[in-house]
Amino acid sequence: MEIVSCPSGDIRKGDYIIIRDIALNRSLVVQVMNVGYANIPGILEDILRESSLENIEGRENDFLGIQAFADIIKDAKILRCKIRRAIIKGRLSHDISWTPSRSTSQLVTITDKAFLKLIGTPTTHAITLGTTKEGEDVNINLSTIDGKLNIITGKKGTGKSHLSKLLVSNLVRKGGICVVFDVNGEYINIGYDENNEKTQLYDKIHVITPGKNFQVTLQYTGLGVFLRIISSVLDLPENSAWEIRRIWLKLMDNQALTLTNLREAIDHVTNNYVRDALIRRFDSLMSTGLFTDNPRISATLEEYFYKAKKGGGLIINLKGLPSSFRQIIVEFMLSKMSTLLNNWIIRALFLFAEEAHLYLRKTYWEDIVTRMRHLGIFSTFITNQPDSISESIYRQADNIFLFNFTNENDLSTVSKATMVDVETVNVITKELPPRHCLVLGKVTNDFPLIVEVKPLKAKVMGQTRLFFSTIQPIGAQ
Amino acid sequence: MEVHEFDTMIPTDLVNIGNQSLTRTYTHTFPSRHLNMQLLRTFESEPLSPSRIAEQFVETLRLDGAGNEVSVYGLDTSNIDLGETEQGILCAIRGCVVWRDTKEYQYSRHGPFIFHITEQNKQYLFDSLRQTCFNQHESIEAPPLENMGDHIRNILERWLQKQLCESCQNSLLLWDGSLMSPSVNRPITPLMTLLNIARRERNVILAFSKKTSLTAMGHRMNTLVNDKDVPCLLDIDNIIQLQYGKRLRFLGKVYIAKFSRGTLSFRLDLDRRLSQCEGRFAAEDLLRSDLIVNSYPESLRLAHILSRFSAGEVIAMKRYITLHHSLRIVPQPDVRQILFGPYGGA
């Protein structure tokens, strides 16, 4: 839908306008996709004439003030809009099959406050995501994240991790349990403010550094989790898996399941190939430092979840770990969490996976999304490589937070899979400034909305480290 | 009074009269009058070739670069029909003076002034404007409604010309058009008055016609001049007097001006009281004092460009009228389009 706007006013891409057809007593809610100058006959002549005369000094005796009108007309804009919803009998409706009159319809610019009221943003059980262009708070209802699959994507340095931290801290404050796979150690100081002072969150944030403050016994790990790790992460062949299973059960029967005994039993495997395969996997597992035989230093996830039962964040610190270690740890965590959820030890949790492709296979995440969602793991993927998330995950996503993308391939990946049209993604996300995102999905009642993400009063760890950080940029005060 | 102070001299009545026309309605009517617009007829005579005409009747005055640098003022006005209302027509006029000061051009633009002309108010408008601008109190029958825009523009033009004549000294005043009084359209008295004032202030009026209907024994004027004598003036006054003298009153001597090589030459009228030599000097002064492009003075070209209305300005004026005077422009059906569709031609 194209709208001629004269005078044009400050209408930008992403803004909403209401087209009110008085005769039909209906309105359309449209979103501005593009703003261009109206092609009014003779305007080009005007511009050329003015440019050829710009060096001539002159005096205008325009007694009627016509020039002001001419300037308004010269600046008339064409707004290319997408119809988002209709308002019929005062209620939002999906019936947009009708067309308003173009001669009698009224154009109503809607304030952000009125728009947020229209789309029904909550006032209770809400967290503040950020602000609109006019500075109105964008509150999102927790229920629109609860049980949902979210994706936060955008190019690097646009504010993805910032939003993710904001969601984590707000969910924790509201009593939610969040588990974060923290690849870069960005979340470990989320309990501190900018001045390195402890905040209210401090006691609710629990940093788990596998191999350091988190080690587990084989018994706690359990055969199922152990087999899953060595099979799916360490690619143990099926025959060898059967052998280790046999050894494990025998040691269990003898109540002698320890790392030392397990290694010794592996050494006694008669088949050379199987023995060598098992030794290599065992050594890999041991080198993670995740496992211990010492019950005094061993820990359990249950302890952490217990600490977080009234809201807390479990930050799994994967910083500096080799890729295979990360995979082992993540596999362990996910398997254990599934068990805990299955046994109703915890009710549900919010999982934040930053750059998930670095520690789990793409196909595995699809499995998590479909399977664990029913268990109560509600994932949020954060990535600057949109093609690292498979199309099927995009299609299942309930909410997408899109930050700036300029790369055509990235845009094409995102736009193919998102719940809104290609044009919306292409036009808006290309021009989003840093810390601004296009929110798509349930959180905004399926109205694409540009939000400036709220500043986070926490110690920021995700900033890019600069070599010339002490040198003032040109023009800086 | 300086040219750039014209705005203080614009009779506020011009604005007020326009506004009154947009707001008042008149109940009394005036009988309409039909003008015979066909003023000129082809001069019938034995055919002569352009070269023979040039030899026998035309004198070529070659111009050199010995002219003096003087002030040059170009003046032009324009009018446009904005549309029709149920009572009459809406038109706008605008005028512009451009002058060259220390090699740089400056301008003073006046208007637009908007008028709502109806059969009821056209006489009032015509009389009031003439009275305001020229202090002419006797009533002259107003022209037909469809020609009123041209006449109101002409009044503004004459008024601006008068201001120029009075406020400038020893200058060249470039007008668009001729120094001819061909019809009732152009009252003779104001033009004579203007020439008198110009003479008094030692100004020279040079009136350039972009188009002329005058011919030299059936031949177009630009066929009489060639590039070899450029820059030059062709004195064709005798032949023009011979052909049209009985029907038209020429207050200026008629020349053809060709100031630069190329296809273009223009009719130039110079005050009849100026001798041929003085006329040549004025042209040489112009060549020295103004930029000449395609034989046409730049200051006059700029005045023309600045006074013309663009499509955007027309829309702006319609918006102004709707907002301030609630006048509704009645859309007129395009009869040609309805009847002939795409085969209607231009």
Side-chain angles (χ1 to χ4, degrees):
Chain A
M1 181 168 281
E2 288 188 342
I3 297 169
V4 179
S5 171
C6 179
S8 53
D10 182 23
I11 295 176
R12 300 182 199 178
K13 286 179 190 179
D15 286 358
Y16 279 91
I17 293 171
I18 289 180
I19 301 167
R20 191 176 290 157
D21 190 316
I22 296 160
L24 294 174
N25 194 21
R26 289 175 170 200
S27 302
L28 280 180
V29 183
V30 298
Q31 188 176 26
V32 179
M33 286 290 104
N34 218 336
V35 184
Y37 287 107
N39 188 18
I40 292 167
I43 288 295
L44 186 62
E45 184 198 326
D46 268 10
I47 292 167
L48 290 173
R49 186 164 69 169
E50 278 173 16
S51 65
S52 67
L53 297 171
E54 66 185 3
N55 293 326
I56 301 175
E57 196 183 315
R59 176 184 281 256
E60 294 286 349
N61 302 308
D62 178 10
F63 302 97
L64 303 179
I66 299 294
Q67 192 54 45
F69 286 88
D71 288 342
I72 288 171
I73 286 156
K74 225 177 285 173
D75 286 335
K77 305 261 172 67
I78 285 277
L79 311 176
R80 222 176 120 68
C81 302
K82 287 268 176 199
I83 303 170
R84 295 297 180 209
R85 219 68 74 83
I87 303 173
I88 299 170
K89 293 177 183 169
R91 285 170 169 245
L92 284 173
S93 161
H94 284 91
D95 178 14
I96 54 168
S97 56
W98 54 281
T99 310
S101 160
R102 67 174 167 188
S103 55
T104 57
S105 289
Q106 287 180 346
L107 216 62
V108 182
T109 49
I110 185 166
T111 61
D112 288 350
K113 191 175 182 178
F115 175 73
L116 292 172
K117 193 178 172 190
L118 178 77
I119 66 171
T121 51
T123 48
T124 53
H125 297 101
I127 58 173
T128 304
L129 197 66
T131 52
T132 62
K133 184 183 82 178
E134 290 171 7
E136 291 295 330
D137 279 350
V138 179
N139 298 319
I140 59 170
N141 198 317
L142 286 176
S143 65
T144 57
I145 293 183
D146 196 7
K148 303 291 188 293
L149 170 64
N150 311 307
I151 296 171
I152 302 173
T153 185
K155 69 179 182 188
K156 84 177 176 188
T158 49
K160 301 179 300 296
S161 302
H162 176 86
L163 173 64
S164 164
K165 286 172 206 162
L166 186 79
L167 289 175
V168 169
S169 53
N170 277 299
L171 283 167
V172 169
R173 269 196 199 98
K174 296 283 178 182
I177 299 173
C178 297
V179 175
V180 182
F181 289 132
D182 186 5
V183 181
N184 300 312
E186 288 180 50
Y187 296 77
I188 54 175
N189 287 319
I190 207 167
Y192 293 90
D193 67 10
E194 312 97 307
N195 305 319
N196 224 9
E197 300 285 330
K198 289 175 186 173
T199 64
Q200 287 177 332
L201 271 186
Y202 178 79
D203 292 330
K204 292 175 181 273
I205 299 296
H206 311 285
V207 180
I208 297 174
T209 309
K212 289 185 180 164
N213 70 349
F214 188 80
Q215 288 182 299
V216 291
T217 60
L218 287 179
Q219 267 184 326
Y220 175 70
T221 306
L223 178 61
V225 175
F226 188 83
L227 280 177
R228 215 154 31 228
I229 291 171
I230 55 172
S231 303
S232 62
V233 181
L234 302 175
D235 291 326
L236 186 72
E238 205 175 331
N239 288 345
S240 308
W242 275 107
E243 186 58 32
I244 195 79
R245 186 173 182 277
R246 190 188 60 77
I247 295 168
W248 184 288
L249 291 172
K250 195 175 172 187
L251 290 171
M252 277 284 282
D253 285 345
N254 298 337
Q255 294 190 337
L257 184 61
T258 62
L259 290 169
T260 320
N261 293 341
L262 186 63
R263 175 61 203 253
E264 209 176 295
I266 290 170
D267 283 342
H268 287 95
V269 172
T270 48
N271 186 312
N272 290 347
Y273 294 111
V274 173
R275 187 178 65 239
D276 288 348
L278 288 175
I279 288 170
R280 277 202 304 278
R281 268 69 178 191
F282 182 85
D283 288 347
S284 292
L285 285 175
M286 288 310 102
S287 60
T288 62
L290 179 64
F291 299 99
T292 181
D293 280 338
N294 186 349
R296 280 184 299 169
I297 59 167
S298 71
T300 63
L301 266 185
E302 286 87 329
E303 292 165 24
Y304 284 98
F305 280 118
Y306 182 78
K307 287 180 192 168
K309 69 177 178 185
K310 287 183 180 171
L314 271 55
I315 314 296
I316 319 283
N317 184 9
L318 304 173
K319 189 185 177 185
L321 298 184
S323 171
S324 57
F325 284 22
R326 281 197 298 242
Q327 287 182 29
I328 290 166
I329 289 154
V330 170
E331 180 65 50
F332 171 84
M333 293 292 174
L334 286 174
S335 301
K336 284 309 283 184
M337 282 189 283
S338 323
T339 312
L340 296 177
L341 287 162
N342 239 341
N343 297 332
W344 284 91
I345 292 169
I346 46 175
R347 186 179 174 82
L349 60 89
F350 297 94
L351 177 71
F352 287 78
E354 186 133 7
E355 302 302 352
H357 60 285
L358 295 178
Y359 43 81
L360 269 186
R361 288 192 309 272
K362 209 188 259 189
T363 47
Y364 193 82
W365 278 116
E366 286 173 40
D367 180 44
I368 286 177
V369 166
T370 45
R371 188 164 55 89
M372 297 207 177
R373 210 168 167 183
H374 298 290
L375 283 176
I377 295 182
F378 311 133
S379 313
T380 299
F381 295 100
I382 306 118
T383 184
N384 58 21
Q385 295 178 41
D387 54 354
S388 69
I389 297 173
S390 73
E391 202 174 309
S392 65
I393 292 184
Y394 278 111
R395 291 198 187 284
Q396 292 180 70
D398 299 290
N399 300 301
I400 299 183
F401 302 88
L402 269 178
F403 285 83
N404 182 289
F405 267 127
T406 43
N407 184 293
E408 294 289 340
N409 290 334
D410 289 340
L411 277 169
S412 142
T413 308
V414 176
S415 57
K416 260 188 240 168
T418 48
M419 63 275 276
V420 292
D421 55 287
V422 177
E423 194 183 359
T424 304
V425 171
N426 280 346
V427 168
I428 296 180
T429 48
K430 263 185 185 178
E431 293 174 14
L432 284 172
R435 294 268 165 99
H436 287 68
C437 70
L438 176 68
V439 184
L440 311 162
K442 304 275 181 271
V443 287
T444 50
N445 198 4
D446 290 322
F447 281 91
L449 183 68
I450 297 171
V451 178
E452 182 181 2
V453 180
K454 193 175 125 177
L456 187 66
K457 288 176 182 168
K459 191 176 177 185
V460 183
M461 297 294 288
Q463 286 173 316
T464 307
R465 189 156 71 177
L466 300 172
F467 185 85
F468 295 110
S469 57
T470 52
I471 298 174
Q472 288 242 319
I474 295 165
Q477 295 297 309
Chain B
M1 180 65 69
E2 296 292 324
V3 174
H4 62 266
E5 292 175 304
F6 276 3
D7 58 313
T8 58
M9 296 174 65
I10 279 278
T12 49
D13 287 346
L14 206 66
V15 181
N16 294 338
I17 292 167
N19 280 343
Q20 280 172 22
S21 75
L22 291 162
T23 49
R24 277 191 201 168
T25 51
Y26 292 79
T27 49
H28 56 282
T29 57
F30 294 87
S32 62
R33 186 180 61 161
H34 296 286
L35 289 179
N36 181 9
M37 296 301 287
Q38 197 168 351
L39 292 162
L40 304 172
R41 283 191 299 173
T42 312
F43 185 82
E44 290 174 7
S45 176
E46 59 181 271
L48 281 171
S49 69
S51 56
R52 279 203 61 198
I53 296 166
E55 280 169 21
Q56 289 183 11
F57 302 101
V58 176
E59 191 180 346
T60 304
L61 308 172
R62 296 190 69 169
L63 306 173
D64 58 33
N68 297 315
E69 202 158 310
V70 294
S71 299
V72 180
Y73 295 88
L75 188 157
D76 202 1
T77 55
S78 71
N79 64 294
I80 195 161
D81 287 341
L82 299 175
E84 293 182 20
T85 64
E86 284 175 356
Q87 291 85 34
I89 57 168
L90 286 159
C91 79
I93 59 170
R94 182 161 66 184
C96 185
V97 179
V98 175
W99 65 97
R100 201 176 187 200
D101 188 20
T102 61
K103 308 274 183 198
E104 287 190 355
Y105 289 97
Q106 293 187 43
Y107 71 88
S108 176
R109 188 152 61 163
H110 306 268
F113 304 100
I114 303 173
F115 297 90
H116 182 211
I117 311 164
T118 64
E119 283 295 347
Q120 286 75 33
N121 77 355
K122 69 175 185 181
Q123 188 64 51
Y124 163 76
L125 280 177
F126 196 55
D127 289 342
S128 310
L129 288 169
R130 284 174 53 253
Q131 188 181 334
T132 305
C133 294
F134 307 117
N135 205 23
Q136 290 183 339
H137 294 280
E138 74 281 15
S139 178
I140 295 177
E141 192 171 357
L145 197 62
E146 61 270 24
N147 296 339
M148 274 296 286
D150 289 336
H151 286 262
I152 293 175
R153 178 193 53 75
N154 193 246
I155 290 170
L156 174 68
E157 187 168 294
R158 290 288 181 237
W159 184 85
L160 284 168
Q161 287 169 348
K162 187 169 151 240
Q163 304 309 317
L164 262 187
C165 289
E166 285 173 347
S167 55
C168 303
Q169 286 85 36
N170 301 309
S171 302
L172 299 178
L173 311 182
L174 312 183
W175 296 358
D176 183 51
S178 66
L179 299 179
M180 185 173 75
S181 275
S183 70
V184 288
N185 287 7
R186 300 189 178 191
I188 194 167
T189 322
L191 187 54
M192 284 182 77
T193 313
L194 293 175
L195 285 166
N196 283 331
I197 300 168
R199 284 173 207 138
R200 191 185 71 208
E201 301 296 333
R202 296 180 304 285
N203 296 314
V204 178
I205 295 167
L206 296 94
F208 284 85
S209 302
K210 289 187 286 298
K211 265 187 186 176
T212 177
S213 55
L214 300 185
T215 59
M217 295 185 175
H219 295 281
R220 279 166 55 209
M221 286 194 177
N222 60 0
T223 60
L224 303 176
V225 64
N226 57 45
D227 272 355
K228 78 176 181 199
D229 296 320
V230 166
C232 67
L233 288 179
L234 260 68
D235 185 343
I236 56 164
D237 193 55
N238 289 338
I239 196 169
I240 294 296
Q241 287 285 348
L242 192 69
Q243 291 178 100
Y244 302 99
K246 289 177 184 171
R247 292 187 174 85
L248 303 168
R249 181 157 189 184
F250 292 91
L251 299 177
K253 271 188 181 174
V254 184
Y255 295 85
I256 295 173
K258 183 146 190 175
F259 294 146
S260 57
R261 291 176 190 278
T263 53
L264 298 181
S265 56
F266 299 94
R267 173 185 162 182
L268 170 64
D269 287 19
L270 287 162
D271 187 356
R272 185 158 289 284
R273 296 264 182 95
L274 295 177
S275 67
Q276 194 186 63
C277 196
E278 286 171 318
R280 197 184 78 205
F281 289 158
E284 284 174 348
D285 288 350
L286 177 65
L287 288 177
R288 182 76 190 274
S289 309
D290 200 4
L291 184 66
I292 304 291
V293 181
N294 290 322
S295 287
Y296 202 72
E298 180 68 2
S299 48
L300 200 52
R301 191 183 77 91
L302 291 171
H304 176 76
I305 291 171
L306 282 160
S307 63
R308 265 197 66 196
F309 290 104
S310 69
E313 287 170 329
V314 170
I315 299 168
M317 287 186 285
K318 286 180 177 178
R319 200 178 164 93
Y320 167 85
I321 292 162
T322 310
L323 277 177
H324 290 277
H325 299 283
S326 306
L327 275 171
R328 189 163 171 265
I329 294 171
V330 182
Q332 293 299 309
D334 185 346
V335 178
R336 186 174 282 272
Q337 174 68 27
I338 292 166
L339 289 179
F340 309 122
Y343 311 109

